[in-house]
Amino acid sequence: MLKRITRSITSASLFLAVYFLLNVALRLALPHTLDLDEAEQSFYSQYLLAGYGPQPPFYNWIQYAIVSVTGISMWVLSVPKNIILFGCYLFYGLAAREVLKSRSLAAVAMLSLITLPQVGLMAQRELTHTVALLFATSLFLFGFFRTLRQPTIWSYLIIGIATGIGLISKYNFAILPFAALIAVLPEREWRGRLIDWRLLPAAVLAILIVLPHALWLPDNLVSASAPTLERMTAEELAPAGLPRIGQGLLSLVIAVLGFVALPIVLIAAAFRRDFFRALSASSPMIRVIERMMVISLLAFVGVVLFAGASDIHERWLDPCLLVLLIYLFLKLETTDLDLSAGLARFRPVVPVFMVVILSILLFRIVGIQYIGPYTRTNVPFSGYVAELTATRKPVLIVAGTKFVAGNMRLEFPDIPVVIPFFPGPGVPEYADAKGPVLVIWRGETADDPTISPGFANDLVRSGIHLQELKTLTLPYLFGDGKRSFSIGYSWVDGGAK
């Protein structure tokens, strides 16, 4: 059965489609409380903007377009994400097929993406913008390898589309096309691809895709970059100078090991001596991929040395190291050894990982009282809504955070949900509200719903004056009944008289 699944990209894709349908079904079966990234998408889906803050807007635009047609729901938040992830696997398989002679090996390379923790588990658990980045990276690799092997106007345009999408998915994607360009230069056979006239329409297409956000970016550079820079520098952990550089380089090494260790161990265990023999294999394509990865990682070394980064996250390495699996299987194929025994041992890894990932996604919610700290999905938002709206319904909801705003938006799809001063000055909806307005927030901790001074000041500046602050506390979903989560709220009259 597994051998038939890995016989071609088509059969492997059908197998993956079933897996992603199971992911959608599982998310719909779990509580509809949104995690942070899901809540952001729910809240942002009310607006079509050139930029939304620290993350580029591609995923937000996709979500907005779909919500504009269908309305907000758990389906609309889950299905597009899994389709984009499926696209990541599919184009990765197509990229593998461009460089691998064996169709079966290309299918295995595609399926083996699930062994990368950032792709298999983390992307399913809570990420959104990174999902778009993974898709753009796979699409770029497909266009890039196709252009090296058999250039056409379409292969160049695919590179342009992928570059445009990648740059407005995550800013660190910019490393990939730069590294690919430099990696090709030493290869005389492919150097001419860089001065081909077809590169011009590809560049124009990438610019057109990026242009709306690029025009927004200069006037909003601080809001777009400050949160990421704060996470990267981790000032409280390293004072300055050499200690910061040392911490940053160590963080990069740990991130690289965390990214590559598991698939390397699994492939080495499956192919055994063949794997170690393959480490010395080389070819023009292998050399290009090696240079791409090295140049990409050197770019992060530069970020550590010159930008003061001291905390590198694994997911930031996605555009640099996603090609790793294609690289490893290409080395194996280049040895001209009989790989059938290794493939037979590796194939069961994929369904095992699928079962394990689905189990983790399930039990991190329903078994939370036994296995760890409560997640945001365990917060009982549907219970809050039932309590708060038992006697009256709001005409407007003013929320303190995107987590709260997105969840309230899902619960009240026909009621505007706003955050003070996003996307513009003040809360203009409040002045026009004809009826009760619900102001709702969460505190710094689960059991302390104290309103933050910043949100309180924003409310006053928006013309909203709270008369009575109340608290609502409910136990966590699937909890032991002893731990609860509290929110603060207040009902006020709308601004319209």
Side-chain angles (χ1 to χ4, degrees):
M1 176 64 179
L2 288 174
K3 188 173 182 179
R4 288 199 298 271
I5 289 170
T6 58
R7 187 170 294 168
S8 68
I9 295 294
T10 301
S11 56
S13 298
L14 293 174
F15 183 60
L16 281 170
V18 174
Y19 170 68
F20 284 113
L21 285 173
L22 290 175
N23 273 279
V24 171
L26 177 61
R27 185 63 189 97
L28 295 175
L30 290 172
H32 286 194
T33 299
L34 305 178
D35 212 326
L36 185 58
D37 277 19
E38 292 174 328
E40 286 186 351
Q41 293 304 319
S42 174
F43 170 65
Y44 286 151
S45 67
Q46 300 174 103
Y47 310 100
L48 180 60
L49 305 173
Y52 295 80
Q55 300 287 2
F58 177 72
Y59 198 101
N60 302 106
W61 290 348
I62 296 295
Q63 198 71 75
Y64 173 85
I66 298 172
V67 170
S68 297
V69 175
T70 65
I72 190 70
S73 68
M74 199 67 243
W75 278 92
V76 172
L77 294 172
S78 182
V79 172
K81 175 178 176 176
N82 280 276
I83 290 176
I84 295 172
L85 266 177
F86 174 75
C88 166
Y89 281 77
L90 176 62
F91 283 109
Y92 196 84
L94 294 176
R97 196 170 66 179
E98 292 298 323
V99 299
L100 294 169
K101 298 175 184 177
S102 168
R103 296 297 175 93
S104 179
L105 209 58
V108 172
M110 176 177 74
L111 292 170
S112 67
L113 266 182
I114 201 169
T115 65
L116 287 172
Q118 292 299 317
V119 181
L121 178 60
M122 298 305 296
Q124 273 293 353
R125 200 179 76 175
E126 57 187 353
L127 303 177
T128 52
H129 298 284
T130 299
V131 169
L133 172 70
L134 293 170
F135 170 81
T137 301
S138 291
L139 183 63
F140 179 90
L141 293 175
F142 169 55
F144 177 65
F145 292 144
R146 184 62 181 263
T147 299
L148 293 184
R149 189 182 68 83
Q150 187 179 352
T152 65
I153 182 62
W154 295 111
S155 69
Y156 277 95
L157 291 179
I158 289 172
I159 292 176
I161 293 170
T163 301
I165 292 174
L167 291 174
I168 57 173
S169 296
K170 282 278 193 177
Y171 297 125
N172 59 322
F173 178 87
I175 295 174
L176 179 59
F178 171 77
L181 185 150
I182 301 300
V184 170
L185 284 176
E187 299 296 332
R188 181 180 300 178
E189 177 186 358
W190 295 325
R191 199 179 302 154
R193 306 286 195 269
L194 304 178
I195 54 174
D196 193 299
W197 69 268
R198 290 169 290 194
L199 193 60
L200 180 60
V204 170
L205 188 55
I207 291 171
L208 290 175
I209 294 172
V210 173
L211 189 60
H213 184 63
L215 295 174
W216 172 90
L217 195 57
D219 294 331
N220 299 273
L221 196 57
V222 173
S223 64
S225 61
T228 300
L229 291 175
E230 288 175 6
R231 288 196 297 269
M232 289 177 67
T233 54
E235 293 183 3
E236 73 282 359
L237 299 179
L242 290 178
R244 179 181 293 278
I245 292 174
Q247 179 176 308
L249 293 176
L250 178 61
S251 172
L252 176 59
V253 170
I254 293 173
V256 171
L257 292 176
F259 195 103
V260 307
L262 182 57
I264 288 178
V265 168
L266 291 171
I267 293 174
F271 290 91
R272 301 176 183 175
R273 285 180 295 179
D274 291 345
F275 175 81
F276 295 100
R277 291 171 184 165
L279 292 179
S280 60
S282 186
S283 70
M285 187 65 76
I286 288 174
R287 291 194 297 270
V288 166
I289 296 174
E290 286 173 343
R291 293 189 201 107
M292 287 173 61
M293 292 191 288
V294 170
I295 293 167
S296 298
L297 294 177
L298 286 176
F300 273 96
V301 172
V303 170
V304 171
L305 295 178
F306 302 110
S310 59
D311 186 18
I312 306 298
H313 294 194
E314 287 179 31
R315 65 178 178 273
W316 297 348
L317 304 177
D318 285 338
C320 310
L321 298 178
L322 194 70
V323 72
L324 172 72
L325 296 166
I326 293 177
Y327 169 73
L328 293 176
F329 283 108
L330 180 57
K331 272 185 166 287
L332 284 165
E333 187 179 61
T334 304
T335 60
D336 288 327
L337 297 171
D338 182 4
L339 303 177
S340 56
L343 283 173
R345 287 189 290 265
F346 186 79
R347 286 188 184 102
V349 169
V350 174
V352 168
F353 263 71
M354 290 178 172
V355 172
V356 169
I357 289 170
L358 289 169
S359 300
I360 291 173
L361 294 174
L362 173 64
F363 287 107
R364 67 184 288 263
I365 306 300
V366 302
I368 196 67
Q369 60 176 303
Y370 306 110
I371 62 176
Y374 289 92
T375 71
R376 294 184 183 91
T377 309
N378 292 102
V379 176
F381 258 99
S382 58
Y384 295 143
V385 168
E387 293 276 349
L388 292 173
T389 61
T391 57
R392 53 180 165 176
K393 297 287 193 299
V395 298
L396 173 69
I397 298 171
V398 182
T401 64
K402 287 176 284 188
F403 170 64
V404 174
N407 276 283
M408 296 305 289
R409 162 82 167 147
L410 184 65
E411 296 289 344
F412 295 100
D414 299 322
I415 296 174
V417 181
V418 298
I419 293 176
F421 303 101
F422 183 91
V427 186
E429 291 89 346
Y430 174 70
D432 300 325
K434 299 179 180 179
V437 174
L438 175 61
V439 182
I440 183 169
W441 61 89
R442 61 158 299 179
E444 291 295 325
T445 61
D447 56 359
D448 180 14
T450 303
I451 190 170
S452 70
F455 181 50
N457 291 335
D458 286 344
L459 292 174
V460 173
R461 290 166 59 200
S462 302
I464 302 175
H465 300 278
L466 305 182
Q467 302 298 319
E468 184 179 7
L469 277 62
K470 298 182 179 180
T471 298
L472 181 56
T473 301
L474 292 175
Y476 279 106
L477 300 174
F478 299 106
D480 55 11
K482 299 175 183 178
R483 293 285 305 279
S484 301
F485 192 94
S486 299
I487 60 166
Y489 71 98
S490 181
W491 288 96
V492 296
D493 294 327
K497 303 298 181 184

